[in-house]
Amino acid sequence: MPDGTIGSLGERFFRDGFVAGVPVLTPNEAAVFRTELEVAEARFGGSMHYILFPNLIFRSADRLLRNPRLLDAVEAVLGPDILAYECTYIIKEPGNTKRVSWHQDLTYWGLDTDDIVSAWLALSPATEESGCMRMIPGSHRVGKQTHVDLRESDNILSRGQTIQNVDEATAVSAALAPGELSLHHGWTMHASHPNRSVDRRIGFNIVFMKPSVRQKVQARECAILMRGQDSFRHYDPLPRAQADFDPEMMALREEIDRRRNATWQTS
């Protein structure tokens, strides 16, 4: 492992259910990846917010996904065999009034174990003003909580899925500078406020998991082997894009998106 921060990361992750402020990119590197994203958005014709597997659309996202410092941090939690189950940019535009309610990631994913970690890599400042994530320390240890589908218009989550009566006095803000990473457990309760800043809040979000994790809802889904070995073969491997905006890769991405949405609606 490259430094002491990574070396103690696993211990802190399993104690608190999250870690934040892990250095992955320099500020200059984060700025380059942001510029490449926004150039791709101009060609795409709109925001890349929640576009699943953008690494199949343009190769900057693929390079970011495979960053060795990012994978070092994930390995400290999951061990040497790592799959990427999904990746997407999560973007809050400045002045956007939408928020994310208290929820747990694993509730609707249809996976059989919690050997996963959600990684969030900041490409712009993620502050309390811009709506950084807020975590409830230790909440991963209580397991799955009841969610109510409120379907509120100001909620970014598709169902407005919400854990009610959360003690917000115990929440911790996971603020990040550009280039910093947070990791959180699939049962960690988290939420975020609207972006009240004058800049976009841009994060690259990846769900990593052990290859042993099985999908219970869909017969076959796709994943990417990032490190180590996959001796289970529960997922179809995704090819690596060789060019930006390749029509075949974009069509594949849309099919994967269709399958994943079916999982979320069924779980």
Side-chain angles (χ1 to χ4, degrees):
M1 296 302 174
D3 58 39
T5 301
I6 297 294
S8 64
L9 188 151
E11 178 182 347
R12 290 181 286 134
F13 178 88
F14 288 109
R15 181 192 66 205
D16 297 332
F18 71 97
V19 293
V22 180
V24 169
L25 305 173
T26 67
N28 286 341
E29 288 171 335
V32 169
F33 278 111
R34 174 178 178 166
T35 297
E36 291 172 343
L37 163 65
E38 293 179 332
V39 168
E41 286 180 316
R43 183 173 174 182
F44 186 67
S47 173
M48 285 277 182
H49 173 64
Y50 266 123
I51 299 298
L52 189 65
F53 286 118
N55 55 302
L56 298 179
I57 300 175
F58 69 112
R59 289 167 293 172
S60 173
D62 188 76
R63 295 199 315 275
L64 195 52
L65 175 65
R66 299 173 189 275
N67 182 281
R69 285 166 287 184
L70 166 63
L71 296 177
D72 284 345
V74 174
E75 184 173 336
V77 173
L78 290 182
D81 301 326
I82 303 170
L83 293 181
Y85 177 62
E86 72 173 47
C87 67
T88 186
Y89 292 95
I90 297 181
I91 303 170
K92 284 183 181 177
E93 301 296 341
N96 189 314
T97 60
K98 291 198 172 185
R99 61 187 174 84
V100 177
S101 57
W102 289 105
H103 69 286
Q104 296 166 304
D105 287 342
L106 276 172
T107 306
Y108 297 92
W109 288 355
L111 303 176
D112 70 343
T113 74
D114 60 8
D115 288 328
I116 70 105
V117 59
S118 292
W120 207 96
L121 179 57
L123 299 185
S124 68
T127 63
E128 292 189 3
E129 183 183 24
S130 68
C132 67
M133 282 191 290
R134 304 165 66 221
M135 309 282 187
I136 303 294
S139 56
H140 63 301
R141 293 193 293 272
V142 302
K144 182 178 179 179
Q145 299 295 292
T146 299
H147 291 62
V148 178
D149 292 352
L150 298 180
R151 301 191 183 277
E152 300 159 311
S153 60
D154 67 342
N155 197 333
I156 291 174
L157 299 177
S158 59
R159 303 180 181 186
Q161 51 263 39
T162 302
I163 303 171
Q164 297 181 307
N165 302 316
V166 173
D167 182 3
E168 299 204 22
T170 65
V172 173
S173 292
L176 301 171
E180 289 185 339
L181 174 75
S182 70
L183 302 173
H184 65 270
H185 192 281
W187 295 127
T188 298
M189 290 188 283
H190 59 289
S192 66
H193 289 309
N195 181 1
R196 299 184 178 91
S197 76
V198 296
D199 191 15
R200 305 177 87 191
R201 194 213 65 171
I202 305 173
F204 190 57
N205 184 75
I206 317 101
V207 177
F208 294 103
M209 65 185 184
K210 293 183 178 182
S212 56
V213 177
R214 185 187 294 271
Q215 170 58 246
K216 299 182 295 183
V217 177
Q218 292 290 327
R220 296 292 291 183
E221 283 200 305
C222 297
I224 305 169
L225 181 63
M226 307 305 303
R227 276 190 178 174
Q229 297 180 341
D230 176 7
S231 59
F232 295 89
R233 310 292 181 184
H234 294 324
Y235 301 88
D236 295 330
L238 276 180
R240 191 171 186 178
Q242 300 302 309
D244 292 350
F245 290 87
D246 178 89
E248 290 187 7
M249 291 293 99
M250 295 182 72
L252 172 63
R253 195 213 66 79
E254 290 179 2
E255 169 59 20
I256 295 167
D257 195 42
R258 184 195 65 77
R259 291 192 212 174
R260 187 60 55 80
N261 279 321
T263 299
W264 291 335
Q265 294 304 317
T266 306
S267 299

